[in-house]
Amino acid sequence: MGTIIGAGASMLREDDVSTIGSGAEATTADVDFDVVVVGAGFAGMYLLHRLRGLGLSARVIEAGADVGGTWYWNRYPGARCDIQSVDYSYSFDPELDETWKWTEKYAPQPEILRYAQHVADKHDLRRDIQFSTRVESAVWDESTSRWQLRTSDGRTITSRFYVMATGCLSMPKEVDIAGTDRFAGEVYFTSRWPHEGVDLSGKRVGVIGTGSSAIQSIPIMAAEAAQLTVFQRTPNFSMPANNGPIPQEKLDALAKGRPQYREAARWSGAGVTVEISTTSALAVSEEERLAKYEDVWEHGGIIQAINSYMDNLVNPAANELLCEFVRNKIRATVNDPETAEALCPKTFPIGTKRLCVDTGYYETFNRPNVRLVDLREHPIASITETGVDLVDESLEFDVIVFATGFDAMTGAIVGVDITGRDGLTLKQAWSEGPKTYLGLMAAGFPNLFMITGPGSPSVLSNMMVSIEQHVDWIADCIDQLRADGLSTIEPTPAAVDGWVQHVNDYANITLMPQANSWYMGANVPGKPRVFLPYAGGVDRYRTICNEVVADDYLGFERRGPDGQRRNDGVVRRVQPDVQLMLEAMAGMNLPTMDSMSAAEAREFSNAIAAQRAPGPDVGEIVDGVLPGAAGDLTYRLYRPASPGPHPIVVYFHGGGWVLGSHDSDDPLCRDLCVRSDAILVSVDYRHAPEARFPAAADDAFAATQWIAENAAALGGIPGDLAVAGWSAGGNLAAIVSQLARDAGGPRIVGQLLLTPVTDCDFSRASYTENADGYVLTTPLMHWFWNHYADPEDRTSPKASPIRAETLADLPPAMIVTCEFDPLRDEGAAYAEALAAAGVPVRHLPCRGQIHTSLPAVDMLLSGVPIRAEMAAAIRGFFTANVPA
Ligand code: NA7
């Protein structure tokens, strides 16, 4: 048997194993395969098909007695998909797509299971699937570069590759209610519903849980049972399925060409082609908004609802409008106002828990035999022999149904005892939450793949699209390894850490982490609270996966008899919202400013500034004039809404001494004013090339002196000032601090330098690393300097403050630098130099941000914590709370 994977490399053929496909007792000795797959749901089935196509030996191990995975187990009454069936189906076999006819928009579970069985028949899959068997442990054997698996039938199987196709919602959550085992009546779990069905007629039934499974099954159980009591801990948002025949527009779209339709789904955000709004819910009239919501309610599904406005999942105010619309639907449907109100979700934004679709769920509460128990008002004390004891009432039942959910996304994976390299178990490696690269692999676990694993779009997408993408990626990867004479693949720790960070960064610019959802692991007591799926979308995710491959498997180490290939790296380091902004700008094909005249560049930057979000409201804005070094300068004063007098910050705008105005930095000044509760006086200064060095510095200092003298008249607290500025404005703030020190006043208590220019030296690494692609380019910095100062002037401390004779006795400083900024290293160098001179300084390096991130208020959510820290620094300056 060969050491390299490939056709003919396996020890055994399928006819060596008597039990395959028969479910009979295993009698064979150890066996070896190229690939062992756990799970014969839609993921495992398609993977088997692909592996066979590559001529690899593969075995699927499945706990159930047939194919279907989640659709094999979840047989509760009313179980259906919540993505339309024509979308929730395989695309890999066009013939299948043509011949299988779905009977309904959302097919019921038996039909979906029949579909899975039909695919298994058509592709003769069962002969390589061992049913009614579990993998109990999997251990990586470094000496043979193989996985050693122990199965529930007592057998040991070895394989080169091991794939967990175990599904995201397959491990039922353990019941965490006291006394559950005492109940003497019938007990059922929606996730493990008896195959022969359950007769509820004439029975008193209690259902615990109001997630998707409960919401689908409750109307049907209510119609059959004598009495139905629903125990609700957290109400969920649900919208009508409006089930029926496949909608005409869907049929029309398919008729235009299935391959194109499928391809569009692959490159959509959620794996389903829907209209994506580019409008804010807050930007339209109430009438227009309600009409849109109504349309989605009547004709759409969960993905349409989430995408009805662009900011539904990022802006709490926009989200609340949709929440209230749904609540009003509940109130209009449920007759008893108290029950209606109890059914209205109020503790999490809509869409941050899986939005449900139902058929008559809310109407069910108008039935005389149905009662809702709000567990927040009347908690369960325990389950008893005869029913459920609430803290204030005892209820008797013949049947209790647990619809209590799953240990989602990680439960089934860590449920198998998996030990990787050096004895590390996956449970240990994931003790603080799953750590994967692309949701496909984990460091220390060579040749272990996951399909739709944590860190991939998975449950936030049409699972079929995500399954097919993962299967294809894995199959292609194994094929490529074989072609390259390599036998193992594993992500590097840095790639994994970078991906985990990126997954979190994406979640954190949405409202998703605000809910106690199974997306967050919050439904399982003791499970780490980590956002599990990737919120960046199917399209972006697919691009990333393709990029990784095109970049010679970036972030992976591959080994084989022919050697080792380690291509360490992080695939996405820019903050996701910054990336979106960069992509949007790239799509606009904007001209580069360094190819323009100063006047053209000003016009261009003013036009860009006019399109930005306006920033928050402040108490008052006053425009005025003050004397500069050589004539009047305009200023704009931002006053907080709180009663004054306030401390004053003198602010200098950015723009490379050539561009910019009060307007350009207006949103940032508003934001800093509101957050710091200080007055900001944004001061203009003469611009280059009309007024070259040292005009800007002289104006900045003159303005600071005037503001100090007129502090009381401006409504400020006289005596102490802080200075602040962004970019070239940061340069001026640093210089003003030095000039004030040298002149013996005004007294400056702090300097907030945001990505400042501190030196005229272009040799620092950030000038090369970030030369292009992050808005402020190295050529543009050259252009700015050329406009502003002659080479012999640039080394003056009035242009390059880092070159001052001494930096001692300067005011405490906060210096903010951005990772992808040509100015990053000179900002960091100034922070170091100040610290070396004994100045209290805090350097805040901003991961994944670019030079223009800081003033992009209300556009970049990832900038919010940074601006909060900047404002805290301002407050600290005035309370002598020197930044540490
Ligand atoms: P879910 O959506 O996790 O729902 C589980 C429900 O059970 C939910 O309402 C829970 O309330 C409730 N629950 C769980 N534990 C308890 C205890 N101890 N006491 C009271 N209530 C409890 O699972 P589903 O099976 O309905 O749906 C899973 C996914 O399948 C769904 O999202 C679709 O994608 C398909 P909680 O919200 O935690 O307060």
Side-chain angles (χ1 to χ4, degrees):
M1 114 131 231
T3 48
I4 302 187
I5 52 164
S10 3
M11 247 190 219
L12 215 75
R13 298 273 147 245
E14 68 263 8
D15 49 359
D16 293 325
V17 184
S18 60
T19 57
I20 310 288
S22 68
E25 186 101 342
T27 52
T28 47
D30 291 358
V31 284
D32 180 79
F33 297 98
D34 292 327
V35 190
V36 166
V37 181
V38 189
F42 284 120
M45 290 168 65
Y46 177 43
L47 182 60
L48 175 59
H49 174 73
R50 277 295 320 264
L51 295 172
R52 276 186 188 166
L54 295 173
L56 295 164
S57 66
R59 176 59 27 91
V60 179
I61 311 287
E62 165 59 53
D66 199 3
V67 296
T70 200
W71 300 105
Y72 172 87
W73 296 106
N74 284 267
R75 295 168 184 248
Y76 58 84
R80 288 175 190 277
C81 50
D82 56 9
I83 300 284
Q84 290 197 35
S85 292
V86 290
D87 298 308
Y88 188 87
S89 51
Y90 284 128
S91 73
F92 74 87
D93 177 353
E95 198 180 274
L96 184 65
D97 228 1
E98 292 295 335
T99 53
W100 182 270
K101 298 280 174 252
W102 294 104
T103 60
E104 287 178 89
K105 183 169 147 185
Y106 299 107
Q109 172 271 335
E111 188 173 338
I112 303 173
L113 184 60
R114 272 202 307 281
Y115 173 76
Q117 291 164 341
H118 171 70
V119 177
D121 291 341
K122 182 170 187 285
H123 292 281
D124 188 19
L125 295 177
R126 288 190 184 84
R127 69 183 157 87
D128 284 325
I129 304 174
Q130 182 174 334
F131 292 106
S132 306
T133 309
R134 287 180 179 279
V135 176
E136 290 182 336
S137 70
V139 180
W140 174 250
D141 181 349
E142 188 76 23
S143 62
T144 58
S145 293
R146 292 191 117 65
W147 283 96
Q148 292 193 342
L149 314 175
R150 202 163 39 75
T151 51
S152 54
D153 57 359
R155 205 157 21 152
T156 302
I157 304 176
T158 56
S159 67
R160 174 72 78 203
F161 296 96
Y162 176 47
V163 187
M164 299 296 280
T166 38
C168 295
L169 294 156
S170 47
M171 175 70 89
K173 187 186 99 153
E174 273 178 37
V175 179
D176 48 3
I177 302 173
T180 303
D181 46 1
R182 284 166 55 197
F183 183 63
E186 299 166 54
V187 173
Y188 301 104
F189 287 80
T190 47
S191 55
R192 293 289 180 270
W193 202 255
H195 288 200
E196 60 282 8
V198 177
D199 182 9
L200 296 177
S201 51
K203 294 181 181 160
R204 297 164 303 169
V205 180
V207 182
I208 300 180
T210 49
S212 183
S213 303
I215 283 177
Q216 287 186 333
S217 56
I218 280 168
I220 297 168
M221 293 195 281
E224 199 182 334
Q227 291 169 22
L228 187 84
T229 304
V230 177
F231 294 95
Q232 170 188 274
R233 187 163 68 184
T234 315
N236 246 316
F237 289 102
S238 185
M239 57 186 291
N242 298 315
N243 206 8
I246 300 166
Q248 190 55 44
E249 68 265 21
K250 200 54 110 179
L251 295 172
D252 293 345
L254 290 168
K256 279 191 199 144
R258 267 182 195 263
Q260 296 88 321
Y261 181 84
R262 293 294 199 173
E263 189 62 7
R266 289 183 195 111
W267 289 100
S268 66
V272 180
T273 46
V274 297
E275 194 187 321
I276 306 288
S277 171
T278 51
T279 311
S280 162
L282 305 167
V284 296
S285 68
E286 188 179 3
E287 195 187 358
E288 183 181 337
R289 193 169 52 240
L290 290 178
K292 174 79 160 273
Y293 291 160
E294 280 295 345
D295 183 49
V296 169
W297 190 259
E298 290 300 323
H299 310 290
I302 53 178
I303 296 176
Q304 286 88 343
I306 297 301
N307 286 292
S308 56
Y309 287 102
M310 64 181 274
D311 44 1
N312 282 342
L313 277 187
V314 293
N315 184 331
N319 186 284
E320 176 57 23
L321 294 169
L322 183 56
C323 290
E324 196 53 18
F325 172 81
V326 178
R327 288 185 206 121
N328 284 335
K329 287 287 182 190
I330 298 170
R331 290 171 186 132
T333 308
V334 179
N335 297 338
D336 173 41
E338 207 180 314
T339 305
E341 222 41 47
L343 285 165
C344 286
K346 289 174 190 155
T347 55
F348 59 95
I350 189 166
T352 59
K353 279 185 154 191
R354 178 81 172 200
L355 192 50
C356 302
V357 288
D358 71 90
T359 302
Y361 175 64
Y362 294 116
E363 291 82 347
T364 301
F365 292 91
N366 295 334
R367 294 179 68 108
N369 67 331
V370 174
R371 174 184 170 189
L372 180 72
V373 173
D374 183 348
L375 294 178
R376 286 168 308 176
E377 299 285 324
H378 313 277
I380 295 178
S382 91
I383 292 183
T384 65
E385 272 179 23
T386 53
V388 174
D389 272 3
L390 304 173
V391 288
D392 51 2
E393 189 182 354
S394 286
L395 300 168
E396 299 211 332
F397 296 109
D398 305 306
V399 177
I400 296 182
V401 175
F402 288 95
T404 42
F406 297 87
D407 183 351
M409 301 207 65
T410 56
I413 300 175
V414 295
V416 175
D417 194 1
I418 299 177
T419 308
R421 176 173 290 134
D422 302 327
L424 178 73
T425 67
L426 198 64
K427 254 199 195 118
Q428 288 162 347
W430 287 11
S431 58
E432 290 164 8
K435 293 189 166 67
T436 73
Y437 186 37
L438 306 170
L440 280 163
M441 297 194 86
F445 297 85
N447 291 5
L448 167 66
F449 292 99
M450 290 159 268
I451 298 184
T452 62
S456 71
S458 56
V459 293
L460 297 182
S461 69
N462 174 358
M463 284 297 276
M464 286 300 222
V465 170
S466 290
I467 282 172
E468 287 193 331
Q469 187 243 340
H470 265 192
V471 166
D472 288 336
W473 195 97
I474 293 167
D476 293 347
C477 171
I478 294 176
D479 192 31
Q480 188 62 48
L481 288 170
R482 175 171 62 174
D484 293 340
L486 297 163
S487 45
T488 67
I489 181 164
E490 168 185 2
T492 68
V496 170
D497 288 349
W499 185 251
V500 169
Q501 185 67 63
H502 180 62
V503 170
N504 281 316
D505 286 345
Y506 238 118
N508 289 338
I509 59 167
T510 72
L511 302 174
M512 287 292 200
Q514 292 187 13
N516 287 325
S517 63
W518 55 258
Y519 296 144
M520 291 295 296
N523 64 328
V524 176
K527 190 167 173 173
R529 198 186 159 94
V530 174
F531 191 71
L532 297 169
Y534 177 61
V538 163
D539 44 358
R540 270 165 219 294
Y541 176 78
R542 185 181 293 272
T543 301
I544 292 170
C545 291
N546 292 353
E547 246 176 69
V548 163
V549 174
D551 197 358
D552 194 26
Y553 283 90
L554 176 68
F556 284 104
E557 177 171 329
R558 291 161 296 159
R559 293 187 199 178
D562 296 350
Q564 178 190 359
R565 291 196 207 169
R566 187 182 173 88
N567 186 12
D568 205 358
V570 172
V571 66
R572 281 287 179 275
R573 291 165 60 207
V574 175
Q575 287 284 346
D577 47 1
V578 175
Q579 176 87 24
L580 295 176
M581 188 175 78
L582 289 173
E583 284 170 17
M585 289 175 78
M588 288 190 251
N589 267 327
L590 299 172
T592 53
M593 274 202 279
D594 48 294
S595 62
M596 301 179 189
S597 69
E600 286 165 349
R602 283 176 196 146
E603 200 179 316
F604 175 74
S605 67
N606 289 344
I608 300 253
Q611 293 170 17
R612 287 168 326 175
D617 287 337
V618 299
E620 186 190 22
I621 292 183
V622 181
D623 282 325
V625 176
L626 57 76
D632 282 351
L633 303 171
T634 60
Y635 71 85
R636 180 170 295 168
L637 182 145
Y638 299 84
R639 197 186 312 286
S642 63
H646 300 94
I648 297 183
V649 179
V650 183
Y651 179 86
F652 305 107
H653 65 75
W657 308 284
V658 178
L659 320 165
S661 64
H662 310 309
D663 289 338
S664 63
D665 292 30
D666 183 78
L668 177 59
C669 289
R670 288 165 177 265
D671 193 78
L672 286 175
C673 169
V674 170
R675 287 176 190 274
S676 66
D677 204 34
I679 288 176
L680 263 86
V681 186
S682 174
V683 177
D684 206 0
Y685 46 87
R686 282 169 293 155
H687 285 166
E690 295 83 353
R692 287 167 65 83
F693 172 85
D698 288 342
D699 278 350
F701 187 50
T704 307
Q705 286 173 310
W706 183 87
I707 293 165
E709 285 157 17
N710 293 277
L714 293 171
I717 302 169
D720 294 344
L721 289 182
V723 289
W726 168 61
S727 193
N731 168 270
L732 298 176
I735 290 163
V736 164
S737 300
Q738 294 186 7
L739 295 175
R741 174 199 60 183
D742 298 344
R747 192 173 124 82
I748 294 179
V749 294
Q751 42 180 335
L752 175 64
L753 311 181
L754 312 177
T755 60
V757 184
T758 71
D759 201 1
C760 55
D761 177 3
F762 287 80
S763 68
R764 291 189 174 89
S766 55
Y767 263 111
T768 324
E769 288 171 15
N770 307 316
D772 194 15
Y774 304 111
V775 185
L776 177 65
T777 63
T778 296
L780 186 57
M781 271 316 292
H782 281 282
W783 186 85
F784 284 139
W785 272 110
N786 290 341
H787 277 303
Y788 182 49
D790 293 334
E792 59 273 21
D793 289 332
R794 294 181 192 177
T795 52
S796 158
K798 264 175 108 172
S800 296
I802 200 167
R803 293 174 189 251
E805 208 166 287
T806 172
L807 297 177
D809 302 323
L810 286 170
M814 180 189 219
I815 300 185
V816 183
T817 58
C818 291
E819 186 177 2
F820 297 99
D821 179 3
L823 302 184
R824 179 194 67 204
D825 291 349
E826 67 193 72
Y830 197 54
E832 265 177 42
L834 287 176
V839 175
V841 58
R842 166 145 188 239
H843 175 204
L844 181 67
C846 300
R847 184 180 52 76
Q849 299 291 351
I850 63 172
H851 186 74
T852 48
S853 292
L854 301 182
V857 174
D858 287 347
M859 294 174 75
L860 296 181
L861 290 168
S862 61
V864 169
I866 303 167
R867 293 199 308 278
E869 294 222 39
M870 284 157 33
I874 291 176
R875 284 196 302 270
F877 292 151
F878 293 103
T879 52
N881 242 339
V882 169

